[in-house]
Amino acid sequence: MLDFHTHILPGVDDGSQGVDESMQMLERMQGQGIETVVATPHFYANDESVDDFLARREAALRSLEERPEGGPDIVLGAEVRYYEGISRMPDLNKLRIRNSRLLLLEMPFRPWTEYAVKEVIDIACQGRITPVLAHVERYLFLQKKGVAARLLESGVLFQANSSFLTGWRGRRQAMNMIRKGQIHFIGSDCHNLTDRPPNAAEAFSLIEKKLGKPFATAMIEYERELLLHSKEN
């Protein structure tokens, strides 16, 4: 299994606050059967340069080199906050996940302007970057009718948090979107071991229970294909 959205790197954002906490989070993931973890610390263009962010991210990963063998593979990425003009950001491609085209993009928690929608579509249509909208359940319902369909038709992908499935309020909608192929990645969005713990495995367990094991297995393989084989030309 793959956990596509995590904040496990120590001391880089509001996620794990130290190496010990990160190690415990990784151990919990290992016990749940998570094989690949995408580390997606927050990136805010107003706060620091891309190169400074990448240097901090690399240092945080090095601090976890002593983790036990057999644990999840850590793939480096970022949760990039949208801002007007992001499509013209020179170093945006450096924030993609590993060497894939995938970029985890956090959109505003309000109705989006037409400019913002077109800008995300423009990024997708340029062909070098595939935007993956982070935890879409938090803001997709705020958008005008048809926005989700336009984004999907343009090649934009959607990521949902595990809580969208595990919480009783959103579960039916989440399963319906997954069934229709409108959610492409599941992530725990874990920040710690208490109120925001690693729980992607719980979400996949529910998908298997509601939609069947073949469906859950196919989705896991599809995630892996998108992550590992959407390489840059």
Side-chain angles (χ1 to χ4, degrees), residues 41 43 78-82 86 92 95 103-107:
F43 173 77
E79 182 180 3
V80 182
R81 177 173 288 179
Y82 171 85
I86 192 172
L92 185 61
L95 298 170
L103 177 82
L104 187 63
L105 185 63
E106 182 180 37
M107 295 298 289

Side-chain angles (χ1 to χ4, degrees), residues 5-224:
H5 183 166
T6 73
H7 297 270
I8 60 161
L9 295 181
V12 293
D13 60 8
D14 60 341
S16 170
Q17 296 304 295
V19 172
D20 288 345
E21 185 174 27
S22 295
M23 292 293 193
Q24 291 179 57
M25 293 168 74
L26 288 166
E27 288 174 4
R28 184 172 297 186
M29 290 173 171
Q30 182 178 4
Q32 295 172 351
I34 300 296
E35 299 169 321
T36 304
V37 175
V38 184
T40 52
H42 291 287
F43 173 77
Y44 306 124
N46 289 336
D47 292 348
E48 64 182 328
S49 70
V50 171
D51 287 341
D52 286 347
F53 169 81
L54 296 178
R56 288 197 306 114
R57 188 184 68 176
E58 185 62 33
L61 179 64
R62 287 199 303 271
S63 72
L64 300 177
E65 287 180 350
E66 299 302 319
R67 62 187 183 275
E69 292 185 9
D73 177 36
I74 300 177
V75 175
L76 292 178
E79 182 180 3
V80 182
R81 177 173 288 179
Y82 171 85
Y83 67 91
E84 190 172 304
I86 192 172
S87 62
R88 300 186 298 275
M89 179 178 171
D91 293 332
L92 185 61
N93 65 312
K94 292 183 179 181
L95 298 170
R96 293 173 301 180
I97 296 171
R98 194 174 268 175
N99 58 341
S100 75
R101 292 191 181 96
L102 305 176
L103 177 82
L104 187 63
L105 185 63
E106 182 180 37
M107 295 298 289
F109 289 69
R110 61 179 183 270
W112 305 331
T113 64
E114 178 62 17
Y115 181 93
V117 174
K118 287 183 176 179
E119 191 165 27
V120 174
I121 291 174
D122 285 346
I123 293 172
C125 290
Q126 288 170 12
R128 296 182 62 197
I129 296 173
T130 299
V132 181
L133 302 194
H135 39 59
V136 293
E137 70 277 7
R138 295 186 182 180
Y139 38 58
L140 206 57
F141 71 96
L142 297 170
Q143 311 313 317
K144 294 179 180 178
K145 184 177 180 180
V147 166
R150 288 173 59 195
L151 292 167
L152 290 167
E153 289 167 2
S154 301
V156 178
L157 304 180
F158 291 171
Q159 177 259 316
N161 281 2
S162 304
S163 57
F164 189 32
L165 288 85
T166 59
W168 64 271
R169 289 191 177 186
R171 184 176 302 172
R172 179 176 295 180
Q173 181 187 2
M175 290 297 174
N176 188 44
M177 291 180 69
I178 289 171
R179 186 184 293 109
K180 292 179 178 179
Q182 296 172 341
I183 291 176
H184 308 90
F185 294 99
I186 302 294
S188 65
D189 195 7
C190 59
H191 282 61
N192 51 49
L193 290 162
T194 53
D195 59 317
R196 302 183 71 177
N199 62 352
E202 185 178 350
F204 281 112
S205 178
L206 283 168
I207 293 171
E208 181 176 326
K209 179 180 178 180
K210 297 292 185 179
L211 303 179
K213 187 173 183 178
F215 188 102
T217 300
M219 184 174 182
I220 291 169
E221 290 303 314
Y222 180 62
E223 284 188 328
R224 191 170 297 279

